[in-house]
Amino acid sequence: MGRPPCCDKSNVKRGLWTPEEDAKILAYVSNHGIGNWTSVPKKAGLNRCGKSCRLRWTNYLRPDLKHERFAPEEEELIIKLHKAIGSRWSLIAKKLPGRTDNDVKNYWNTKLRKMLQKMGIDPVTHKPFSQIFSDFGNISGISNTGNLNKSLNSSLMSKPGHQFSSAILTTTEPSCFKKTMEEQVQEYNPTVTHPTSWDFLAQFPVHDTKQSPLFFNEAPLITPTCTFTWSEFLLSDPVFSAEFQHQQEQYDFDEMLSPTNSSTMAMAHNDLSSCNITSTGSDDDWYLNRSVGRSTYGHGTVNNGLEENNNAADHAAYYSSSASSFVDSILDKDRELHSQFPPLLDPSFDYY
DNA sequence: AACTGAGCCAACCGCCGAGAC
DNA sequence: AGTCTCGGCGGTTGGCTCAGT
């Protein structure tokens, strides 16, 4: 039969590693090098699974690891590579010396993904939300609802509680997706000649009119089982997101990687250049080469926002710069909504 | 001071392909 | 040939920290 198991899973220590355990791993590796991890716990005097030892070494104890914060150029490279190859963290980490796949994955999930969402960019497709909804508006056949469902659920509704219910986004309930956005809005309100995503959303019944104003606390809206965040939809709307769109269009990684740019950008460029096909010609390398360098991101404001230490300040400045017009836009749009869809809104929420 | 919730990250889980037996 | 583990990987979770109330 096969090999014996590496350890008794039920009889090994789990959880956080102590400094003493780390010291044992380090001492063992320095004396014997990296070999068969299965035998490491026994030889090093540890009551741990070999797999756990390998992970501890790989993700934390390796001497070549960086433990400081991610640099702006690292952030940019992660975003660019993620756009190119998706969540293949080990491949991305290989392009970031001193970083592990776990590091990159954690950083993406806790920082970069949220940052892109705040900027109105779908972290899965790396497209502006408005474009997704534009594409969505053009969907006329049932065949595309699966992709739409995946895209919406994975990007816009990243939180568990922020998902479209299957009652809305499945092929078994296609009524609202068999027609285009325009068709549905105009069917509901023929006076709307050029419906936006806002108009499309407005046709759905309000969930609970006793709740506080929907715009400012992201209350569930569409149906009792169908929730989303207002801010994300506002970003997707052509009216509200005009400024965001402008910034996104300027966020062009191709230009960012231009040799004429700063040394930081040149550094990223050099790193990316190493992604190109080599003599080994692996599929992964081909994938990287094929995809990297064709991003449509802009740069400038967004680029500044990527800098860790200045992140909060830059984002605050970025958002506040358009705050008044943004609020005005909301109020204007709400007035319009009141006039076009009076049954949908509770008059008690007249907050302007 | 106590509580709460969000952010963060180390560690675990489960799957897969390769290879040992 | 079949069964099993190893090593690698991406996804997820548990628990710690800290800011806000």
Side-chain angles (χ1 to χ4, degrees):
Chain A
M1 298 301 283
R3 295 176 174 177
C6 68
C7 62
D8 180 4
K9 305 281 186 194
S10 63
N11 198 28
V12 294
K13 186 184 175 189
R14 297 168 62 180
L16 294 178
W17 283 67
T18 64
E20 291 76 21
E21 288 176 313
D22 285 345
K24 287 180 179 178
I25 290 270
L26 286 167
Y28 177 84
V29 172
S30 65
N31 289 331
H32 302 89
I34 300 171
N36 181 7
W37 284 106
T38 307
S39 63
V40 167
K42 189 176 180 180
K43 292 179 180 176
L46 289 162
N47 186 27
R48 293 271 187 176
C49 177
K51 192 172 182 174
S52 181
C53 295
R54 182 178 61 83
L55 276 175
R56 183 62 178 172
W57 170 261
T58 303
N59 291 335
Y60 192 79
L61 297 176
R62 258 169 48 199
D64 59 324
L65 291 181
K66 290 182 191 172
H67 294 287
E68 59 265 32
R69 288 167 173 258
F70 280 78
E73 56 267 31
E74 288 179 306
E75 294 178 331
E76 290 154 7
L77 191 56
I78 292 170
I79 293 172
K80 189 166 183 64
L81 289 171
H82 185 272
K83 180 180 182 181
I85 63 175
S87 55
R88 301 174 73 174
W89 306 118
S90 61
L91 270 179
I92 295 173
K94 284 176 185 172
K95 302 299 176 187
L96 293 160
R99 305 295 187 185
T100 69
D101 55 347
N102 213 33
D103 288 337
V104 176
K105 179 172 57 183
N106 282 334
Y107 197 67
W108 173 266
N109 286 331
T110 58
K111 289 274 186 65
L112 299 180
R113 190 182 61 173
K114 293 174 185 175
M115 191 188 69
L116 289 178
Q117 286 177 325
K118 276 189 177 180
M119 288 158 43
I121 297 171
D122 175 15
V124 176
T125 63
H126 291 251
K127 292 179 180 177
F129 288 139
S130 58
Q131 184 180 337
I132 293 173
F133 275 90
S134 175
D135 296 343
F136 161 49
N138 292 329
I139 294 172
S140 57
I142 190 171
S143 60
N144 289 333
T145 57
N147 289 336
L148 172 68
N149 191 356
K150 182 180 179 182
S151 178
L152 288 173
N153 277 327
S154 61
S155 58
L156 297 181
M157 323 312 167
S158 59
K159 295 176 183 178
H162 289 185
Q163 294 203 341
F164 277 108
S165 71
S166 58
I168 293 290
L169 293 174
T170 65
T171 54
T172 57
E173 177 56 43
S175 60
C176 67
F177 292 101
K178 281 181 175 176
K179 301 173 182 175
T180 66
M181 179 183 77
E182 288 85 352
E183 286 170 340
Q184 293 182 69
V185 171
Q186 287 175 357
E187 181 177 299
Y188 185 86
N189 188 343
T191 64
V192 180
T193 53
H194 299 291
T196 65
S197 57
W198 177 279
D199 297 314
F200 172 70
L201 292 166
Q203 70 182 300
F204 291 98
V206 174
H207 167 45
D208 182 2
T209 58
K210 291 185 173 59
Q211 293 188 10
S212 51
L214 296 170
F215 293 112
F216 298 114
N217 66 356
E218 300 182 345
L221 173 75
I222 296 178
T223 73
T225 58
C226 184
T227 63
F228 73 105
T229 58
W230 270 111
S231 60
E232 290 160 346
F233 271 92
L234 292 173
L235 287 171
S236 74
D237 187 279
V239 173
F240 298 135
S241 66
E243 288 196 45
F244 280 104
Q245 288 296 301
H246 180 66
Q247 298 293 344
Q248 288 158 11
E249 287 163 5
Q250 293 183 6
Y251 184 32
D252 189 338
F253 265 109
D254 290 338
E255 187 177 346
M256 176 192 84
L257 295 177
S258 165
T260 61
N261 274 330
S262 68
S263 58
T264 296
M265 296 305 104
M267 185 174 158
H269 182 261
N270 291 336
D271 200 355
L272 283 172
S273 298
S274 68
C275 299
N276 290 350
I277 289 178
T278 64
S279 58
T280 60
S282 70
D283 289 347
D284 289 337
D285 284 340
W286 176 85
Y287 211 158
L288 286 168
N289 179 55
R290 176 175 174 271
S291 307
V292 169
R294 292 206 220 131
S295 168
T296 54
Y297 285 123
H299 69 105
T301 301
V302 172
N303 183 26
N304 292 337
L306 287 168
E307 209 285 318
E308 178 74 28
N309 296 330
N310 298 328
N311 215 3
D314 286 342
H315 274 261
Y318 179 69
Y319 287 114
S320 65
S321 65
S322 60
S324 60
S325 61
F326 180 72
V327 171
D328 288 344
S329 297
I330 292 175
L331 295 177
D332 288 341
K333 201 68 184 177
D334 192 46
R335 289 189 194 95
E336 182 183 333
L337 201 59
H338 266 283
S339 64
Q340 292 179 358
F341 304 96
L344 295 177
L345 296 176
D346 188 329
S348 65
F349 294 140
D350 197 1
Y351 45 85
Y352 49 83

